[in-house]
Amino acid sequence: MPPFYFAIIGHKDTPIYEAEFTSLQQSFPPNLKELNPFILHASLDIIEDLQWQTTSSNSSTYNNSNTISGNSTSFLRSRHSHSGVYGPGNCYLSKVDHFYGLVITAYITYGNMKFVLIHGNNNSSAVSSVDDNVVKNFYQEVHELYIKTSMNPFYEVDRPITSPIFDSKVKALAKKYLTK
Amino acid sequence: MLSYEKYMNLLHYPDQWSQPVPREISRKVICNALSPCISVQSTDALNQHLEEVFKIGSLYKLLRYFGDYIQDRDQLDDKISAKLQPNNRRQRQNSLFQRNSSRYIRFQTPLTDIISVGDNHQVEFNDLEESLSEFLKDIEEHTVNDSPCELLKHSIFHKFITMLSSTTLSPYHSFNHPILALLALDITQGEEYELARELLMEFKNLPNTLSKFPAFINTNDVLPVFILCFDQSSPQQWETVQSLMKVIKKQLFVESVPLPIFTNFRDRSIVLHPPITNSLQEQLYDSSHPVSLKLCPRLVKLIYDTINSMVEDLMIPFMNRKISFWDETILQPRKSIFHSNKLLKRFISKSSGSPTASMPTSPDGHFLASSNEFLLRKLADWCFMLSDYKTAYSIYEILIRDFENYPLYMSSCQEFSALSLLMGAHSIVTAKMIKNDIDPLIMKYLDYAVNNIISLDQIRCMIYMTELFLSLSDTWTSAPFAIKYLEVILQKENLKLGPVCRNLIWERISFAYRLRIDPRIHADDDSTSDCDHDLEEELYLNPHKLHCGKIQNQGFTRYRKEAVFQLLAAKKWLQCGQTRQGAWSLKRCNRVYRDLPFANAEGTLLSRLADAVVDSENSQRAN
């Protein structure tokens, strides 16, 4: 299975949780590994663009910088439209960006926390494929975990999540959905 | 004032480094690179005389100092210009700040020299890489990490574009083919009519005398003009020049231009700045033969006047005459009812086989200079040079259809068709036009050019297109296309671009992201202040509540994307030992990463690169 790099980005672009889901056979090459946080940070430009879009027009040309992902949806539009493909209340933005064969998917919570995942690829020349249903399920379950964490009275929003339980649960979810 | 020359030789003008990037500079660079060529041939006696007086080996080498944008007259500064023309109230023009079509020219060596050098002069990827490295080393020596780098970075990239250019004669287009051939005589050495006649005959007979004379050049499409070099202080010589001009005109039907280059004006000489290089060959030549040319201002002005009158009174009317002749004899018949009738065309092609089978080509497969196809191509190129992009585009479109069976000719027409569209419709290009017309045209060209091994000349064209996209007013729409083309260049392995060239392209991608700003962006902060005011009145403050002002501009820029590409460029610059470039790239990306703890934490790529820059700076100081 390809490697993954996951981060929860708080307000002011600060990552509050980061994890890498790799298998023994596949992991990010060192030169890419050091670049992952920056690639992820760069994709926030597109996520914000999608986040505040209210119309579907021009989404294919305006969303993404140079690539055009056909099936990405916008956060506001999906929340206000009840007839959309993804239905109401969808926080999953699907593919939002790419970076030389890596695909980036994103999910936004109602509290404006951004969950971002970099999908590595097995073959350096090919672009990673993304199974939207699986990735969406992963995000939704991590969202649930995040809500539980944020309900902890000792946790402050935007502070790094250092709980080993949270970490192990996220990794278990990754194993269940992504690196199975 | 930042002139075109100062911009292209910016390294030598530190006081100009903090100037803003001039508008439409990319278009000016392209105009210059695709400007009319003037070949300069001088007699041995004249060359020797020039060597004695000015320590310069030929008239071509001297005139190069006065090339490029001729109206700028950048060899003379404002004070000297005002002194020489006290009654002339009009300010010197500045190519970087005017929008109308400009007069750029390029001087080149005599036709015989260009032909004899032939393909040996083809620029190689390795030469380019080496020259760029040398150039960047030179920059490193003259600058510090804290030097203002914005304009310098742009200037470096445009220098890179000019280095991609070549002066080699191409059979597929006529941009490097001379339009004017200057034949220079030295009147002070007694060179007169007989020699002029001989020179002209020699020039006209080149196709017969030169064994390697290319079939795609026609000396009849080159206007010969005599330059008569003399000493103005000698009335005798002045009379000789006058009578010689008359005789040449009467007997040889050729115009002549007097150039009092050997006049001693007894003024204080000024040191001329080095000429702007238009190709890597020139760059290599200049670096191996550094010459410091000193001339007195009055002579400089006279040379400018001569060149100006030569271009305005001889070259441009000649081009216009030829254009209207080719238009009437070749283009208009093509547009006739017969030619535009598809039914008739189909009928003809069925009965007479392939129309291209009878096309006049030379043994090496190139179209002859006299063939209608090449003349049409020349017509389009000349229209392009004279800024008539609309006509040029329509002819390129016709040629694309004609050259269906000639992929090399067709791809050249495709690239120039896209270029003329972008150059001409600059202010009216819409998103729809880009998507439906320009992008498919460029992608078709890229597919062909990239898969069939290509030369630097073609890479240059791709970069021209990206530059033109980036100079469009609606950069939100155009920047993604520019990024797409730059990424194609980077991703193709068969383009053997070296690390320095690649880094420059990485940086340009970053620049394209910087330009990607949604026109709906709010520049003012009024709404922000209102919201802040409301916020203060709330009883229960929520520090995590989103601010209106911050929301309304979210997603309208790509500054984070710009930063990641700058970071990548910085890493690559440092890997290839270009510390200064790396430091400047880091400076740029730090505008985004400055306040982000994740980026500046110990051990991250950013902090390691910053440490590497500091280490290198310290070691340089220690040395």
Side-chain angles (χ1 to χ4, degrees), chain A residues 13 34-35 38 41 44-45 48-49 52 61-66 97 100 112, chain B residues 476 480 483 487 491 513 516 546 554-555 558-561 568 571 596 605 608:
Chain A
D13 295 1
E34 61 186 11
L35 211 56
F38 297 96
H41 174 256
L44 293 180
D45 270 338
E48 282 180 357
D49 191 359
W52 300 107
T61 47
Y62 282 121
N63 294 344
N64 259 321
S65 45
N66 47 340
D97 197 9
Y100 298 94
N112 199 29
Chain B
W476 177 256
I483 294 165
E487 284 185 337
Q491 282 172 353
Y513 276 116
R516 195 158 195 244
L546 296 176
Q554 273 186 5
R558 293 290 181 268
Y559 293 141
R560 295 185 185 102
K561 279 259 176 198
L568 209 59
K571 183 184 166 188
L596 294 176
L605 179 63
R608 278 191 287 117

mmCIF file of all heavy atoms in Angstrom, chain A residues 13 34-35 38 41 44-45 48-49 52 61-66 97 100 112, chain B residues 476 480 483 487 491 513 516 546 554-555 558-561 568 571 596 605 608:
data_model
loop_
_atom_site.group_PDB
_atom_site.id
_atom_site.type_symbol
_atom_site.label_atom_id
_atom_site.label_comp_id
_atom_site.label_asym_id
_atom_site.label_seq_id
_atom_site.Cartn_x
_atom_site.Cartn_y
_atom_site.Cartn_z
ATOM 1 N N ASP A 13 -2.998 28.129 10.423
ATOM 2 C CA ASP A 13 -2.129 27.178 9.699
ATOM 3 C C ASP A 13 -1.241 26.318 10.600
ATOM 4 O O ASP A 13 -0.203 25.836 10.151
ATOM 5 C CB ASP A 13 -1.232 27.922 8.697
ATOM 6 C CG ASP A 13 -2.027 28.571 7.588
ATOM 7 O OD1 ASP A 13 -3.259 28.456 7.620
ATOM 8 O OD2 ASP A 13 -1.412 29.174 6.692
ATOM 9 N N GLU A 34 10.656 15.281 4.133
ATOM 10 C CA GLU A 34 10.910 16.597 4.735
ATOM 11 C C GLU A 34 10.052 17.687 4.098
ATOM 12 O O GLU A 34 9.855 18.752 4.679
ATOM 13 C CB GLU A 34 12.391 16.955 4.612
ATOM 14 C CG GLU A 34 12.862 17.043 3.172
ATOM 15 C CD GLU A 34 14.349 17.252 3.030
ATOM 16 O OE1 GLU A 34 15.075 17.129 4.021
ATOM 17 O OE2 GLU A 34 14.773 17.530 1.892
ATOM 18 N N LEU A 35 9.554 17.388 2.904
ATOM 19 C CA LEU A 35 8.761 18.383 2.179
ATOM 20 C C LEU A 35 7.258 18.250 2.474
ATOM 21 O O LEU A 35 6.492 19.183 2.227
ATOM 22 C CB LEU A 35 9.032 18.200 0.681
ATOM 23 C CG LEU A 35 8.960 19.412 -0.231
ATOM 24 C CD1 LEU A 35 9.888 20.507 0.249
ATOM 25 C CD2 LEU A 35 9.314 19.017 -1.656
ATOM 26 N N PHE A 38 5.210 20.985 4.120
ATOM 27 C CA PHE A 38 5.117 22.197 3.294
ATOM 28 C C PHE A 38 4.144 21.992 2.131
ATOM 29 O O PHE A 38 3.425 22.914 1.754
ATOM 30 C CB PHE A 38 6.513 22.581 2.784
ATOM 31 C CG PHE A 38 7.465 22.940 3.892
ATOM 32 C CD1 PHE A 38 8.341 22.008 4.406
ATOM 33 C CD2 PHE A 38 7.443 24.205 4.463
ATOM 34 C CE1 PHE A 38 9.198 22.320 5.445
ATOM 35 C CE2 PHE A 38 8.299 24.540 5.504
ATOM 36 C CZ PHE A 38 9.171 23.585 6.001
ATOM 37 N N HIS A 41 0.834 22.263 3.658
ATOM 38 C CA HIS A 41 0.535 23.667 3.963
ATOM 39 C C HIS A 41 0.135 24.411 2.696
ATOM 40 O O HIS A 41 -0.800 25.220 2.701
ATOM 41 C CB HIS A 41 1.775 24.303 4.610
ATOM 42 C CG HIS A 41 1.641 25.766 4.849
ATOM 43 N ND1 HIS A 41 2.272 26.696 4.053
ATOM 44 C CD2 HIS A 41 0.932 26.473 5.764
ATOM 45 C CE1 HIS A 41 1.964 27.897 4.490
ATOM 46 N NE2 HIS A 41 1.170 27.793 5.528
ATOM 47 N N LEU A 44 -3.448 24.308 1.523
ATOM 48 C CA LEU A 44 -4.461 25.084 2.267
ATOM 49 C C LEU A 44 -5.033 26.216 1.406
ATOM 50 O O LEU A 44 -6.176 26.620 1.594
ATOM 51 C CB LEU A 44 -3.857 25.670 3.556
ATOM 52 C CG LEU A 44 -3.449 24.657 4.627
ATOM 53 C CD1 LEU A 44 -2.868 25.377 5.823
ATOM 54 C CD2 LEU A 44 -4.628 23.818 5.066
ATOM 55 N N ASP A 45 -4.233 26.713 0.484
ATOM 56 C CA ASP A 45 -4.719 27.764 -0.429
ATOM 57 C C ASP A 45 -5.948 27.262 -1.184
ATOM 58 O O ASP A 45 -6.942 27.978 -1.337
ATOM 59 C CB ASP A 45 -3.625 28.101 -1.458
ATOM 60 C CG ASP A 45 -2.712 29.210 -0.971
ATOM 61 O OD1 ASP A 45 -3.133 29.969 -0.096
ATOM 62 O OD2 ASP A 45 -1.578 29.293 -1.470
ATOM 63 N N GLU A 48 -8.999 26.512 1.206
ATOM 64 C CA GLU A 48 -9.732 27.740 1.553
ATOM 65 C C GLU A 48 -10.573 28.231 0.386
ATOM 66 O O GLU A 48 -11.671 28.738 0.571
ATOM 67 C CB GLU A 48 -8.749 28.829 1.985
ATOM 68 C CG GLU A 48 -8.253 28.623 3.396
ATOM 69 C CD GLU A 48 -7.283 29.697 3.835
ATOM 70 O OE1 GLU A 48 -6.947 30.573 3.019
ATOM 71 O OE2 GLU A 48 -6.865 29.648 5.005
ATOM 72 N N ASP A 49 -10.021 28.078 -0.800
ATOM 73 C CA ASP A 49 -10.765 28.479 -1.990
ATOM 74 C C ASP A 49 -12.066 27.673 -2.075
ATOM 75 O O ASP A 49 -13.151 28.225 -2.272
ATOM 76 C CB ASP A 49 -9.885 28.230 -3.223
ATOM 77 C CG ASP A 49 -10.440 28.856 -4.473
ATOM 78 O OD1 ASP A 49 -11.511 29.469 -4.397
ATOM 79 O OD2 ASP A 49 -9.798 28.729 -5.534
ATOM 80 N N TRP A 52 -14.936 28.409 0.748
ATOM 81 C CA TRP A 52 -15.822 29.566 0.698
ATOM 82 C C TRP A 52 -16.560 29.711 -0.619
ATOM 83 O O TRP A 52 -17.194 30.722 -0.858
ATOM 84 C CB TRP A 52 -15.035 30.846 1.012
ATOM 85 C CG TRP A 52 -14.434 30.759 2.369
ATOM 86 C CD1 TRP A 52 -13.126 30.578 2.665
ATOM 87 C CD2 TRP A 52 -15.129 30.754 3.618
ATOM 88 N NE1 TRP A 52 -12.944 30.473 4.004
ATOM 89 C CE2 TRP A 52 -14.162 30.585 4.631
ATOM 90 C CE3 TRP A 52 -16.467 30.877 3.986
ATOM 91 C CZ2 TRP A 52 -14.501 30.532 5.980
ATOM 92 C CZ3 TRP A 52 -16.793 30.834 5.331
ATOM 93 C CH2 TRP A 52 -15.819 30.661 6.311
ATOM 94 N N THR A 61 -12.239 25.180 -12.994
ATOM 95 C CA THR A 61 -11.082 25.986 -13.364
ATOM 96 C C THR A 61 -10.595 26.845 -12.210
ATOM 97 O O THR A 61 -9.435 27.173 -12.140
ATOM 98 C CB THR A 61 -11.414 26.932 -14.537
ATOM 99 O OG1 THR A 61 -12.624 27.552 -14.265
ATOM 100 C CG2 THR A 61 -11.441 26.199 -15.835
ATOM 101 N N TYR A 62 -11.491 27.202 -11.334
ATOM 102 C CA TYR A 62 -11.063 28.110 -10.290
ATOM 103 C C TYR A 62 -10.499 27.414 -9.059
ATOM 104 O O TYR A 62 -9.719 27.973 -8.341
ATOM 105 C CB TYR A 62 -12.236 28.999 -9.869
ATOM 106 C CG TYR A 62 -12.480 30.110 -10.836
ATOM 107 C CD1 TYR A 62 -13.672 30.257 -11.488
ATOM 108 C CD2 TYR A 62 -11.456 31.009 -11.113
ATOM 109 C CE1 TYR A 62 -13.871 31.281 -12.393
ATOM 110 C CE2 TYR A 62 -11.654 32.039 -12.013
ATOM 111 C CZ TYR A 62 -12.858 32.178 -12.648
ATOM 112 O OH TYR A 62 -13.039 33.185 -13.526
ATOM 113 N N ASN A 63 -10.965 26.194 -8.830
ATOM 114 C CA ASN A 63 -10.536 25.544 -7.605
ATOM 115 C C ASN A 63 -9.053 25.397 -7.523
ATOM 116 O O ASN A 63 -8.398 25.913 -6.663
ATOM 117 C CB ASN A 63 -11.025 24.102 -7.554
ATOM 118 C CG ASN A 63 -12.491 24.040 -7.455
ATOM 119 O OD1 ASN A 63 -13.065 25.032 -7.136
ATOM 120 N ND2 ASN A 63 -13.058 22.911 -7.705
ATOM 121 N N ASN A 64 -8.613 24.628 -8.471
ATOM 122 C CA ASN A 64 -7.246 24.189 -8.358
ATOM 123 C C ASN A 64 -6.346 25.051 -9.167
ATOM 124 O O ASN A 64 -6.735 25.586 -10.164
ATOM 125 C CB ASN A 64 -7.159 22.776 -8.865
ATOM 126 C CG ASN A 64 -7.127 21.832 -7.720
ATOM 127 O OD1 ASN A 64 -6.494 22.149 -6.744
ATOM 128 N ND2 ASN A 64 -7.791 20.740 -7.833
ATOM 129 N N SER A 65 -5.156 25.120 -8.687
ATOM 130 C CA SER A 65 -4.195 25.971 -9.335
ATOM 131 C C SER A 65 -3.969 25.529 -10.747
ATOM 132 O O SER A 65 -4.449 26.101 -11.684
ATOM 133 C CB SER A 65 -2.908 25.897 -8.580
ATOM 134 O OG SER A 65 -2.647 24.557 -8.289
ATOM 135 N N ASN A 66 -3.298 24.437 -10.912
ATOM 136 C CA ASN A 66 -2.975 24.039 -12.266
ATOM 137 C C ASN A 66 -3.621 22.740 -12.633
ATOM 138 O O ASN A 66 -3.638 22.334 -13.766
ATOM 139 C CB ASN A 66 -1.466 23.926 -12.437
ATOM 140 C CG ASN A 66 -0.869 23.162 -11.333
ATOM 141 O OD1 ASN A 66 -1.452 23.029 -10.279
ATOM 142 N ND2 ASN A 66 0.303 22.653 -11.565
ATOM 143 N N ASP A 97 -5.842 18.843 -4.413
ATOM 144 C CA ASP A 97 -4.588 19.315 -5.003
ATOM 145 C C ASP A 97 -3.731 18.115 -5.382
ATOM 146 O O ASP A 97 -4.045 16.978 -5.000
ATOM 147 C CB ASP A 97 -3.860 20.187 -3.965
ATOM 148 C CG ASP A 97 -2.772 21.048 -4.565
ATOM 149 O OD1 ASP A 97 -2.693 21.104 -5.800
ATOM 150 O OD2 ASP A 97 -1.999 21.664 -3.805
ATOM 151 N N TYR A 100 3.144 16.559 -8.062
ATOM 152 C CA TYR A 100 3.993 15.616 -8.770
ATOM 153 C C TYR A 100 3.714 14.158 -8.395
ATOM 154 O O TYR A 100 4.571 13.464 -7.847
ATOM 155 C CB TYR A 100 5.464 15.980 -8.581
ATOM 156 C CG TYR A 100 5.729 17.336 -9.162
ATOM 157 C CD1 TYR A 100 5.678 18.480 -8.383
ATOM 158 C CD2 TYR A 100 5.915 17.488 -10.525
ATOM 159 C CE1 TYR A 100 5.829 19.726 -8.929
ATOM 160 C CE2 TYR A 100 6.075 18.728 -11.085
ATOM 161 C CZ TYR A 100 6.038 19.845 -10.283
ATOM 162 O OH TYR A 100 6.179 21.074 -10.846
ATOM 163 N N ASN A 112 -13.870 24.744 11.561
ATOM 164 C CA ASN A 112 -12.781 25.214 10.689
ATOM 165 C C ASN A 112 -11.439 24.535 10.969
ATOM 166 O O ASN A 112 -10.389 25.130 10.806
ATOM 167 C CB ASN A 112 -12.643 26.729 10.772
ATOM 168 C CG ASN A 112 -11.874 27.296 9.595
ATOM 169 O OD1 ASN A 112 -11.901 26.726 8.509
ATOM 170 N ND2 ASN A 112 -11.176 28.387 9.809
ATOM 171 N N TRP B 476 -5.394 35.484 -12.731
ATOM 172 C CA TRP B 476 -6.110 34.397 -12.052
ATOM 173 C C TRP B 476 -6.432 33.288 -13.060
ATOM 174 O O TRP B 476 -6.326 32.108 -12.778
ATOM 175 C CB TRP B 476 -7.381 34.943 -11.408
ATOM 176 C CG TRP B 476 -8.213 33.895 -10.740
ATOM 177 C CD1 TRP B 476 -9.368 33.347 -11.200
ATOM 178 C CD2 TRP B 476 -7.941 33.246 -9.486
ATOM 179 N NE1 TRP B 476 -9.831 32.428 -10.319
ATOM 180 C CE2 TRP B 476 -8.986 32.337 -9.247
ATOM 181 C CE3 TRP B 476 -6.917 33.353 -8.538
ATOM 182 C CZ2 TRP B 476 -9.046 31.539 -8.116
ATOM 183 C CZ3 TRP B 476 -6.980 32.549 -7.404
ATOM 184 C CH2 TRP B 476 -8.023 31.661 -7.194
ATOM 185 N N PRO B 480 -2.574 29.502 -14.204
ATOM 186 C CA PRO B 480 -2.547 28.038 -14.212
ATOM 187 C C PRO B 480 -2.050 27.454 -15.524
ATOM 188 O O PRO B 480 -1.385 26.414 -15.535
ATOM 189 C CB PRO B 480 -4.012 27.646 -13.985
ATOM 190 C CG PRO B 480 -4.627 28.801 -13.335
ATOM 191 C CD PRO B 480 -3.910 30.004 -13.843
ATOM 192 N N ILE B 483 1.674 27.735 -15.566
ATOM 193 C CA ILE B 483 2.256 26.723 -14.672
ATOM 194 C C ILE B 483 2.248 25.364 -15.373
ATOM 195 O O ILE B 483 3.231 24.617 -15.315
ATOM 196 C CB ILE B 483 1.464 26.669 -13.343
ATOM 197 C CG1 ILE B 483 1.651 27.986 -12.581
ATOM 198 C CG2 ILE B 483 1.901 25.495 -12.488
ATOM 199 C CD1 ILE B 483 0.663 28.210 -11.470
ATOM 200 N N GLU B 487 5.521 23.146 -16.117
ATOM 201 C CA GLU B 487 5.642 21.795 -15.549
ATOM 202 C C GLU B 487 5.908 20.762 -16.634
ATOM 203 O O GLU B 487 6.627 19.798 -16.399
ATOM 204 C CB GLU B 487 4.378 21.447 -14.757
ATOM 205 C CG GLU B 487 4.362 22.165 -13.419
ATOM 206 C CD GLU B 487 3.200 21.779 -12.535
ATOM 207 O OE1 GLU B 487 2.180 21.303 -13.056
ATOM 208 O OE2 GLU B 487 3.317 21.974 -11.310
ATOM 209 N N GLN B 491 8.975 18.246 -16.454
ATOM 210 C CA GLN B 491 8.728 16.821 -16.263
ATOM 211 C C GLN B 491 9.288 15.949 -17.363
ATOM 212 O O GLN B 491 9.519 14.764 -17.153
ATOM 213 C CB GLN B 491 7.227 16.571 -16.126
ATOM 214 C CG GLN B 491 6.713 16.935 -14.738
ATOM 215 C CD GLN B 491 5.211 16.880 -14.646
ATOM 216 O OE1 GLN B 491 4.526 16.691 -15.630
ATOM 217 N NE2 GLN B 491 4.698 17.081 -13.452
ATOM 218 N N TYR B 513 2.514 31.377 -9.325
ATOM 219 C CA TYR B 513 1.568 31.234 -8.213
ATOM 220 C C TYR B 513 1.387 32.569 -7.492
ATOM 221 O O TYR B 513 0.303 32.882 -7.015
ATOM 222 C CB TYR B 513 2.052 30.170 -7.226
ATOM 223 C CG TYR B 513 1.658 28.766 -7.637
ATOM 224 C CD1 TYR B 513 2.622 27.819 -7.950
ATOM 225 C CD2 TYR B 513 0.325 28.398 -7.722
ATOM 226 C CE1 TYR B 513 2.262 26.535 -8.336
ATOM 227 C CE2 TYR B 513 -0.038 27.119 -8.111
ATOM 228 C CZ TYR B 513 0.933 26.197 -8.412
ATOM 229 O OH TYR B 513 0.563 24.937 -8.804
ATOM 230 N N ARG B 516 -1.156 34.575 -9.123
ATOM 231 C CA ARG B 516 -2.522 34.049 -9.172
ATOM 232 C C ARG B 516 -3.347 34.671 -8.048
ATOM 233 O O ARG B 516 -3.411 34.171 -6.926
ATOM 234 C CB ARG B 516 -2.515 32.524 -9.074
ATOM 235 C CG ARG B 516 -3.868 32.013 -9.484
ATOM 236 C CD ARG B 516 -3.920 30.602 -9.951
ATOM 237 N NE ARG B 516 -5.183 30.415 -10.611
ATOM 238 C CZ ARG B 516 -6.146 29.593 -10.187
ATOM 239 N NH1 ARG B 516 -5.956 28.856 -9.147
ATOM 240 N NH2 ARG B 516 -7.286 29.514 -10.840
ATOM 241 N N LEU B 546 -13.990 33.289 13.538
ATOM 242 C CA LEU B 546 -13.348 33.765 12.306
ATOM 243 C C LEU B 546 -13.643 35.244 12.099
ATOM 244 O O LEU B 546 -14.759 35.690 12.333
ATOM 245 C CB LEU B 546 -13.866 32.976 11.113
ATOM 246 C CG LEU B 546 -13.535 31.495 11.124
ATOM 247 C CD1 LEU B 546 -14.192 30.811 9.935
ATOM 248 C CD2 LEU B 546 -12.034 31.288 11.074
ATOM 249 N N GLN B 554 -9.982 34.829 1.864
ATOM 250 C CA GLN B 554 -9.448 33.467 1.916
ATOM 251 C C GLN B 554 -9.688 32.743 0.595
ATOM 252 O O GLN B 554 -10.775 32.788 0.036
ATOM 253 C CB GLN B 554 -10.107 32.696 3.055
ATOM 254 C CG GLN B 554 -9.370 32.901 4.361
ATOM 255 C CD GLN B 554 -9.903 32.034 5.486
ATOM 256 O OE1 GLN B 554 -10.768 31.198 5.290
ATOM 257 N NE2 GLN B 554 -9.385 32.257 6.669
ATOM 258 N N GLY B 555 -8.679 32.093 0.128
ATOM 259 C CA GLY B 555 -8.800 31.317 -1.106
ATOM 260 C C GLY B 555 -8.601 32.129 -2.367
ATOM 261 O O GLY B 555 -8.665 31.594 -3.468
ATOM 262 N N ARG B 558 -2.566 32.449 -3.932
ATOM 263 C CA ARG B 558 -1.832 31.181 -3.885
ATOM 264 C C ARG B 558 -0.436 31.423 -3.285
ATOM 265 O O ARG B 558 0.554 30.894 -3.769
ATOM 266 C CB ARG B 558 -1.702 30.592 -5.299
ATOM 267 C CG ARG B 558 -3.006 30.152 -5.913
ATOM 268 C CD ARG B 558 -3.567 28.917 -5.225
ATOM 269 N NE ARG B 558 -4.817 28.494 -5.840
ATOM 270 C CZ ARG B 558 -6.018 28.896 -5.435
ATOM 271 N NH1 ARG B 558 -6.142 29.728 -4.416
ATOM 272 N NH2 ARG B 558 -7.117 28.464 -6.024
ATOM 273 N N TYR B 559 -0.389 32.251 -2.246
ATOM 274 C CA TYR B 559 0.917 32.586 -1.676
ATOM 275 C C TYR B 559 1.585 31.382 -1.001
ATOM 276 O O TYR B 559 2.805 31.271 -0.984
ATOM 277 C CB TYR B 559 0.792 33.733 -0.666
ATOM 278 C CG TYR B 559 0.390 35.044 -1.306
ATOM 279 C CD1 TYR B 559 -0.488 35.911 -0.691
ATOM 280 C CD2 TYR B 559 0.899 35.405 -2.549
ATOM 281 C CE1 TYR B 559 -0.864 37.109 -1.289
ATOM 282 C CE2 TYR B 559 0.530 36.595 -3.151
ATOM 283 C CZ TYR B 559 -0.355 37.446 -2.523
ATOM 284 O OH TYR B 559 -0.718 38.622 -3.124
ATOM 285 N N ARG B 560 0.763 30.491 -0.441
ATOM 286 C CA ARG B 560 1.372 29.315 0.194
ATOM 287 C C ARG B 560 2.008 28.419 -0.857
ATOM 288 O O ARG B 560 3.062 27.837 -0.645
ATOM 289 C CB ARG B 560 0.303 28.553 0.967
ATOM 290 C CG ARG B 560 -0.293 29.315 2.145
ATOM 291 C CD ARG B 560 -1.232 28.363 2.861
ATOM 292 N NE ARG B 560 -1.968 28.991 3.941
ATOM 293 C CZ ARG B 560 -3.238 29.372 3.848
ATOM 294 N NH1 ARG B 560 -3.883 29.254 2.708
ATOM 295 N NH2 ARG B 560 -3.864 29.885 4.891
ATOM 296 N N LYS B 561 1.334 28.351 -1.986
ATOM 297 C CA LYS B 561 1.885 27.553 -3.100
ATOM 298 C C LYS B 561 3.184 28.173 -3.587
ATOM 299 O O LYS B 561 4.154 27.478 -3.890
ATOM 300 C CB LYS B 561 0.873 27.542 -4.251
ATOM 301 C CG LYS B 561 -0.222 26.547 -4.067
ATOM 302 C CD LYS B 561 0.098 25.360 -4.916
ATOM 303 C CE LYS B 561 -0.898 24.255 -4.735
ATOM 304 N NZ LYS B 561 -0.362 22.995 -5.214
ATOM 305 N N LEU B 568 11.440 24.824 -2.496
ATOM 306 C CA LEU B 568 12.006 23.761 -3.332
ATOM 307 C C LEU B 568 13.164 24.309 -4.168
ATOM 308 O O LEU B 568 14.220 23.680 -4.289
ATOM 309 C CB LEU B 568 10.896 23.261 -4.257
ATOM 310 C CG LEU B 568 10.944 21.828 -4.709
ATOM 311 C CD1 LEU B 568 10.918 20.895 -3.522
ATOM 312 C CD2 LEU B 568 9.755 21.537 -5.607
ATOM 313 N N LYS B 571 16.214 24.868 -2.007
ATOM 314 C CA LYS B 571 16.906 23.600 -1.736
ATOM 315 C C LYS B 571 17.769 23.208 -2.941
ATOM 316 O O LYS B 571 18.934 22.834 -2.800
ATOM 317 C CB LYS B 571 15.840 22.527 -1.463
ATOM 318 C CG LYS B 571 16.401 21.180 -1.108
ATOM 319 C CD LYS B 571 15.279 20.164 -0.965
ATOM 320 C CE LYS B 571 15.853 18.768 -0.957
ATOM 321 N NZ LYS B 571 14.828 17.744 -1.012
ATOM 322 N N LEU B 596 5.203 30.831 11.241
ATOM 323 C CA LEU B 596 4.646 29.484 11.400
ATOM 324 C C LEU B 596 5.609 28.595 12.174
ATOM 325 O O LEU B 596 6.690 28.261 11.665
ATOM 326 C CB LEU B 596 4.363 28.870 10.022
ATOM 327 C CG LEU B 596 3.275 29.556 9.211
ATOM 328 C CD1 LEU B 596 3.160 28.926 7.841
ATOM 329 C CD2 LEU B 596 1.940 29.471 9.932
ATOM 330 N N LEU B 605 13.046 21.296 6.962
ATOM 331 C CA LEU B 605 13.786 21.640 5.741
ATOM 332 C C LEU B 605 14.148 23.126 5.720
ATOM 333 O O LEU B 605 15.286 23.504 5.408
ATOM 334 C CB LEU B 605 12.930 21.281 4.526
ATOM 335 C CG LEU B 605 13.514 21.590 3.159
ATOM 336 C CD1 LEU B 605 14.789 20.799 2.920
ATOM 337 C CD2 LEU B 605 12.508 21.302 2.062
ATOM 338 N N ARG B 608 16.942 23.969 8.159
ATOM 339 C CA ARG B 608 18.234 23.430 7.702
ATOM 340 C C ARG B 608 18.809 24.256 6.549
ATOM 341 O O ARG B 608 20.003 24.511 6.482
ATOM 342 C CB ARG B 608 18.075 21.967 7.278
ATOM 343 C CG ARG B 608 18.125 21.025 8.498
ATOM 344 C CD ARG B 608 18.239 19.578 8.103
ATOM 345 N NE ARG B 608 16.989 19.084 7.555
ATOM 346 C CZ ARG B 608 16.838 18.649 6.319
ATOM 347 N NH1 ARG B 608 17.843 18.652 5.488
ATOM 348 N NH2 ARG B 608 15.675 18.211 5.896
#
